[in-house]
Amino acid sequence: MSPVVVGDPGPRPSWDAWALGIAAAVATRADCTRRKVGAVILGPDHRVLATGYNGYPPGQPGCLTDGACPRGRRSYDDLPASSPYVDVDEPCQALHAEENAVLHLPGGSRLGATVYVTDEPCPNCQRFLAGAGIARVVWPEGQIVYQTPEVAAAPAGR
């Protein structure tokens, strides 16, 4: 049975709010004991192209499901949430949500796309997304607009 609207249906969400809601739903699948991050990529026509969440690569034991991550077994007192996770003795082995989403994109569809993510991308992911040809990254508190080939070639005033 499809939902029936009774009374005022309220306003439609903006594309950004709608996509961030999808990213939040995707984050529930994250395989991490410390953070749950989700991402969704929309094409210029606002169609969903791919989703991703943080977790170990497919086929490898995960953090939440298998206890495989050494960082995930430590408390926040031992290892604060804001501590580095790459260039350390026990690095995080998970792929980030943004990386997983880009890896699942159909060929050639990343140019001009927008990534919506539940948290601000780390510096590595920001560099990765810019290099992948993503046009824009949006998270609940901010956004980045990248200079993509399409943007650079567009006439002024568009």
Side-chain angles (χ1 to χ4, degrees):
M1 182 170 141
S2 64
V4 176
V5 175
V6 178
D8 181 10
R12 290 175 72 188
S14 68
W15 287 113
D16 287 357
W18 178 75
L20 286 170
I22 294 171
V26 171
T28 65
R29 289 285 305 155
D31 190 23
C32 180
T33 59
R34 297 177 63 87
R35 297 188 74 205
K36 295 207 174 273
V37 181
V40 61
I41 302 178
L42 270 57
D45 61 354
H46 306 292
R47 302 240 182 244
V48 174
L49 300 175
T51 61
Y53 49 84
N54 57 317
Y56 272 56
Q60 294 186 20
C63 180
L64 180 63
T65 54
D66 301 306
C69 179
R71 294 174 58 82
R73 294 189 294 266
R74 297 181 64 186
S75 72
Y76 285 106
D77 289 336
D78 292 338
L79 190 65
S82 60
S83 61
Y85 51 88
V86 178
D87 292 325
V88 292
D89 291 336
E90 296 178 320
C92 178
Q93 298 299 314
L95 294 172
H96 289 190
E98 305 92 308
E99 294 171 313
N100 267 320
V102 170
L103 287 172
H104 292 99
L105 274 173
S109 62
R110 65 181 185 256
L111 295 177
T114 299
V115 175
Y116 294 88
V117 63
T118 55
D119 200 3
E120 181 176 5
C122 72
N124 287 334
C125 283
Q126 289 179 22
R127 186 174 52 252
F128 174 73
L129 294 170
I134 299 298
R136 185 170 164 244
V137 182
V138 178
W139 62 95
E141 293 84 31
Q143 71 171 338
I144 300 170
V145 178
Y146 293 113
Q147 185 74 11
T148 63
E150 294 85 29
V151 172
R158 273 197 161 176

